[in-house]
């Protein structure tokens, strides 16, 4: 039941073509009866033109294409994460303006101008092997209207590289730190900047890194304050959180 | 080596009293030579009057008192976390304006007016047993100048209580969700609000809750975007992260 | 917003005292506006006279007494789990008809006749050390109107004791199996009965029993079908699940 | 030793052709001597026509075919779980009325009319990736004579979708909740329905989901009562447990 | 149903006072009807005079005394493990010939001569802190009629001590190795002797010894063949297994 | 330094061609100087004709062939475990009397008559999927001269199958129980037999079986006495331990 | 900012072409402004001709080639670890003097004479399957100028092989022990030598070896003093640590 | 068999009072026959005057005193670790020159001058709560003759404090890094110094620090080379390893 139907119902009431008892009955069930209407009430992402996201890992090319087309028809921008090159090939056949970022396995469909937030996000990574996850964060943050600074390969084994870039990092509104192995970079950055720091453990490493668990624990136990953590390899989650923060900044400025 | 020494060095060069070779040598070692100078460059908390925090778990009453007095002498506000009632008793003898919050075992020493951020933080908790951790987050967020809304005891077993308060939660700039046992509340809230959500797993629970590990994993795997996680029972960390975000908002508005 | 308000709104529309636009607006926010209305829709436990449960582990004697009194005023029966003898002493002072079951640390306040389900629940335990958890399940199942058969100390190390009681177990509508150490009893019982089996791992054991994890894993991996599992030491949860099943049986018979 | 042999033995005793001492000896060893007889006493599945199940994961196509044929000869219905398309191809060659459900990798051989239970089971899933496990539960529950309602893709990140279907869920006798990632859906559903809830964690997720462990722990620690748990990805187990419960309902009604 | 009843039944059949049909019916249910009869068939410990064991950890002094008296009345020897000094005090009041071994917290009640096996068991321990567990194994092995050699404090950090005793160890029929910390001693002994080796990990250690898990894993992964493992700190289990092996030796010699 | 060299040294001493001081020096270092001599003192497997074992998992076909040939030249029997069909193909080309057991991936080279122990080992398995591990135990036990009884597919979900075979199991000198999933079979068997029981957890299972960890913990925590455990899937280890026990029996009889 | 720029700055000050205020400003930011200069201050590996290392696991052949060429241009020696044969093929095309060690998957590019340390490192391994990791340690230690003794296949199951080589091991300045399965070799060696022992757990093993965790825990809990541990399979790390120690020896001798 | 007996044997050979065959036999068994002789060959700590260590955790005051006295009689220095104040009180009564270091719960008995190594060890700690473990390392390193520099409270949250002390750290021959929580300090120091780094994880932290496991994993996965790890809280182990390294330096210089 969308707004038009509610309006029709109320007009039927006014005109007397619908009696009050059956109006009450229909309204009682309202938020449960109709998925489209319900979405308007409950869900945050239904404002006009707000971007949408498809997580592609367990979806077939067919499913992805269908969802992407339905979204594109609404005229919103679409971000597709963890999409393989093969599945993107299928998508590209249907939606010609789809773009692929192979490092991060992300696809973007721009159906309208991205509204800029005037905020800067810095994505810092420890090693070159962390770059795919870092790039997923970058594309996500940009997709939601942020400028992004990349500071890559500045792990703590050669900490001078970090210091050489510290002012660039400090100048950003939100900092994302992507690190595998022992994940110590998040603590060091957290001790050097004033902005909120989002730490992303990666599954890079071997032996007792346990697929990212070591870096995850390091980051959760960070002795530096102002550091929070997302799931292992979840570059998208970090980029989205950064976008949530810059949106909070933007909202406040508008008021 | 502070600014005056650098200036003296350069003036010595100009006047010819210091030759260029030994000037180069002294400058090479510069960032390691002097703690005061180093602090100015590296450390974020040395601007006048910025609040300071003491983590009291492994410190004696004597150590806490000494640190708190030294900080108070600088005229800054002091937050002491995880301080037992006994240790606070000792502190109170020395610093009469110290206040104790027994729910969260936090002490606050206000040596100057707290500067308000004009931002609101909402602290949501699942059960009554999570309140000590929630209150640590509340006091921390308030200490850094934020208004705080408390929405307690709204766990997912009785989800109508959450919905009854959803507009209050949505009206805040940052949301902190504190939950033990299975920690599902963070995902539900994350799906209902637009603001950044900081999830705090608590060690409340029994059996296979493993001292908070179950809630921690739930939160890290949250299917809702815009959720990040801090360490188990780390209410302070969540409150501090919220303050970091509202500070980012404030900084941006000033520009 | 309750039914009367909806009716008033529609009548206002009909009479023209409310215009259609503001009617649409008010209806959009409807499910979030009013806690009482929401409760009616969402919450299952608000039918008159249905029993209520208090989990006492992290609540003070004062909190428990207050909740118990408020519930008693509604005339419902009250079950208080994990209540220490000391806290029960406080409760008894206020509510004279409170009864204590010391084995299981459960208290019961009977404010009305318990409605019988005409179903039988069998609680089977492996060793004597598992009895506190088993008794929590027994009291819970009885509290919700079921007859309970106890078959204790029939662990698989002396499996003849189990067989000597198998017909008694088979005659029940639901079977709860409580076992620590290696927890193998649940699989054996699951292979011998047709009724649903609810397995409760207990923290009884030492060394590599890891506080109940060994028994929990055994039960989750049970090669017998028709076995489900609740949390370690969660006798209440098993008793409640049994009651949920017998209630489903009762509901169906009434139709 | 089957019934005929026991009868012969007793007739021998009566006729005097067997003396009492050797009769006692033979009877002492009775339940161990003969697998066929033993089965009658111990095993639940030997009533005529009751369905049988084959777990195919570690069996060869040849083994599966042989077991299925032997069962079919008895005229019972056969459910084969975790059977690959290839192995099903072999089976189909031998048993023409075998049906394949590719989503759930389940095969069904209907050798007689399925007896309906007049009960409804609802299978609720969080995401599209959980559907294979959910379908295994669906086919299993239907195979044992239940009607099944599917409510898919209603995870807590968009909780309005769940509420839009809540009455359908509430109308069922047993509810199965299938969820991966953080598994929070089970707690939310458990708080909204009166029926028994069987939770199935799935291995869907990444990073710290640890192949379903995160969802498993969430479900075990569920703050909602009336929730029990089966093994990770064990859709069959949940469907079978649901059938066990509806059979308990049916048995009770017959009396 | 004991032997007499079976005999009466058969005599009733012979005399015609019981008809064959009802005889068949009664015999069908036979192994489940009567605990005493069942015990004869199923349970191994009912031969006259065989020793019995009480695990005291979760039993009250009263329960222990009652069980011990009932056993003593049968004239069998009794071993009580994990019995505290306090509980033993109570036991001693009732049963004067009870003996206490404080190192291992074991009590022994000798009601008849222990029958010797003519076998030797060697108990080897790594450090002095492992001695309580080692002594539990010693007392258990002796209680079941074995001679025991003790070789203590021969951990691999000073491996010459082990070699100095190797012939004594090699001369025994079964070897028990008790070790905490890294538990390497079991592998070394396993590589040096021909007899079966039973390894007992102990919870001695700190840090990453994780309460015996490190030693347990070491022993399970032993590169030496002929090594099996019991639970952490389970000296009794090792002693009992040794006794089971020497009993097998004794049985074979008798034939 | 082999025996001849020692003899030469002593003869040199006698003849005076070597002085006593340098004799003492050379003898001090003796057990470390020469691998062949050392082996005679330390190693148990060098008596003539005793069988040898090759673990093939991380060895190339070439390495396996070389070792097998060297052993065969000594005229001893050879057991090769975890050898793939391909590697066996290579081995067969070189050593024509090599036999392959494909179920257990074991090869045997009989270079002399196997000496019988006159002992019986029973290998009991829970499910058909456990058979490869069970067969590894069977072949190993037979290789060391034991008769083996197989009792397969007697898991606790249908416990009557176990009882139908219990006398066969009880008649053996050592019992090996092989079980995956929840591993409960070991406890049940342990409670029914007098012989030593060696439990082998297998990696059969899914979800929370964690590759055999669940079965391993079940077996370690077995409430039945007289049960010890080997590593996951280590059928060879169990067979070897059984052989160690029967060898102990045989040695004792010879005396 | 490199040394030349600093020199130019100071000369500008002296000549008056740069005023003192802007000189102070530029120097303040100095260690962060320029990666080359920073490296001189912070980083240990920039002394002329010191060898460099490339970890190749997550790098493309193209990236490896580029880095290797850049390093070779500086005339330093290059060690590339975890480089596959394919990637090495690409490297060899570009850099003809590159050498490949296929056992350890290490490549070495010698651009100058390796300076000898006059120290000896002993690499001891438990089994043949540990050799790849052992060889990585060997090549690394040699690359940094050490002589290396190999003592392979001396695991504790046949401890005489270790003793036969003990004097060779004792004669070295640093000992590396490489072992999988239960990892007990490190403790035994640690108890026999005076030199520092670096233990490397390997992922060799099966079942409860958990990919090297069992060996890792054994080594961390070693009862022998003077043993430290590196990550699972980290032969390079052990070789590098050994080189660090021998470099410390060399430095001290030079003074 | 000590040297004298060997000498006597050889003289017997020479004189002909012992024939060669029986000489060969006696020599074959030599390393196992006599503990004193064996000790000389195998054990490293029996040279005169070398210090000895007592680990006191699981020893009674009486045991500690007896061992300490026996050692003191040999005139060697004694180090007693993990000794409580109470136990030290007992020790002090017997051995007046015993000294107690309460921070680290270590006692030292100096019976002769400590021989200086001319090496410096630096002990770096992250927080004040890590000091007890750090001090255990300090006292141990000093006890074995090293000079020690303390650099405490330089955790990565305020990394400027580390840099202010970096030259002091770099000037030492071995560096020990002690850190709890996330343990990142070891990686940072490892990237800044050339000396060998020994990392000690501590159990300081809360929530997901899991009693030191988080710091342990961080250190094992350190991206900096030249870092090795000892057990959690094992300050003694780190100090001893440092002493082993400086002893290796000293030995080399002597040659």
């Amino acid at each position: 039941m969308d707004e038009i139907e509610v309006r029709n119902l109320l007009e039927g009431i006014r005109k007397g073509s619908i009696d009050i008892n059956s109006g009450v009955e229909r309204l009682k069930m309202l938020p449960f009866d109709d998925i489209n209407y319900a979405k308007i009430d409950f869900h945050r992402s239904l404002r006009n033109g707000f971007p949408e996201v498809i997580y592609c890992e367990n979806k077939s090319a067919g499913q992805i294409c269908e969802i992407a087309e339905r979204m594109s028809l609404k005229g919103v921008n679409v971000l597709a994460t963890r999409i393989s090159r093969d599945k993107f090939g299928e998508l590209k056949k249907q939606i010609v303006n789809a773009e692929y970022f192979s490092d991060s396995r992300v696809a973007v469909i721009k159906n309208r101008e991205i509204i800029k937030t005037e905020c800067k996000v810095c994505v810092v990574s420890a090693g070159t092997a962390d770059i795919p996850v870092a790039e997923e964060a970058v594309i996500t943050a940009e997709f939601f209207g942020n400028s992004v600074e990349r500071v890559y390969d500045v792990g703590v084994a050669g900490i001078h590289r970090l210091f050489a870039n510290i002012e660039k990092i400090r100048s950003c509104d939100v900092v994302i730190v992507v690190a595998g192995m022992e994940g110590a970079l998040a603590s060091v950055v957290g001790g050097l900047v004033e902005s909120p720091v989002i730490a992303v453990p990666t599954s890079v490493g071997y032996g007792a890194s346990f697929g990212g668990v070591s870096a995850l624990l390091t980051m959760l136990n960070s002795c530096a304050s102002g550091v929070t953590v997302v799931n292992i390899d979840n570059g998208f989650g970090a980029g989205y959180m950064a976008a949530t923060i810059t949106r909070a900044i933007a909202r406040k400025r508008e008021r």
Side-chain angles (χ1 to χ4, degrees), chain A:
Chain A
M1 188 183 248
D2 63 13
E3 196 179 316
I4 291 162
E5 289 179 275
V6 174
R7 199 168 288 277
N8 288 344
L9 171 66
L10 294 193
E11 278 167 1
I13 295 283
R14 164 157 297 178
K15 288 186 292 190
S17 65
I18 297 168
D19 72 293
I20 281 179
N21 277 349
S22 64
V24 168
E25 277 319 293
R26 285 182 61 192
L27 285 168
K28 251 187 185 167
M29 285 302 101
L30 182 142
F32 310 130
D33 272 7
D34 190 302
I35 181 167
N36 295 314
Y37 186 87
K39 271 177 176 160
I40 293 165
D41 271 323
F42 284 94
H43 205 41
R44 60 184 177 183
S45 67
L46 294 182
R47 282 188 309 274
N48 270 353
F50 202 87
E52 305 241 16
V53 181
I54 312 169
Y55 177 73
C56 302
E57 194 99 324
N58 292 290
K59 299 199 179 67
S60 67
Q63 288 177 309
I64 296 165
C65 289
E66 194 194 319
I67 299 171
E69 283 186 317
R70 224 166 48 210
M71 288 174 169
S72 289
L73 285 177
K74 290 196 281 176
V76 301
N77 294 328
V78 179
L79 180 75
T81 64
R82 311 242 163 157
I83 181 166
S84 66
R85 183 171 288 282
D86 285 358
K87 287 179 184 170
F88 179 74
E90 294 300 307
L91 184 66
K92 186 72 181 177
K93 285 185 200 155
Q94 312 247 351
I95 301 181
V96 289
N97 64 327
E99 262 180 294
Y100 194 58
F101 298 84
S102 59
D103 274 355
S104 53
R105 298 193 306 139
V106 165
V108 166
I109 307 169
K110 274 194 204 143
N111 293 309
R112 56 172 66 195
E113 195 65 29
I114 289 175
I115 300 156
K116 299 290 176 196
T117 61
E118 298 180 44
C119 287
K120 271 202 303 182
V121 173
C122 189
V123 178
V124 182
S125 87
T128 51
D130 302 315
I131 290 179
V133 177
E135 280 296 302
E136 197 185 62
V138 166
I139 306 302
T140 303
E142 286 179 347
F143 178 76
F144 286 94
N146 301 288
S147 308
V148 177
E149 292 279 2
R150 285 171 180 88
V151 177
Y152 286 177
D153 202 15
V154 294
V156 299
I159 208 165
H160 60 286
R161 295 171 301 182
L162 176 65
F163 292 133
N165 289 283
I166 196 68
E167 284 313 313
K168 190 194 284 185
I169 300 172
R170 280 180 175 163
S171 72
C172 292
D173 299 285
V174 185
V175 179
I176 293 169
V177 179
V178 181
M181 300 184 80
E182 96 281 52
L185 185 61
S187 296
V188 175
V189 171
L192 290 171
V193 306
E194 282 186 64
S195 311
V197 173
I198 303 161
V200 192
T202 73
S203 54
V204 169
Y206 57 99
S209 72
F210 301 130
V213 170
S214 173
L216 172 63
L217 291 180
T218 303
M219 289 166 171
L220 283 170
N221 287 290
S222 174
C223 52
S225 303
V227 176
T228 56
V229 186
V230 296
N231 201 354
I232 297 165
D233 288 339
N234 192 3
F236 164 73
Y240 192 94
M241 181 64 175
T244 308
I245 294 173
T246 58
R247 211 156 55 199
I249 294 174
R251 264 204 311 277
K252 208 71 183 187
R253 297 175 84 185
E254 288 161 13
R255 289 177 204 175

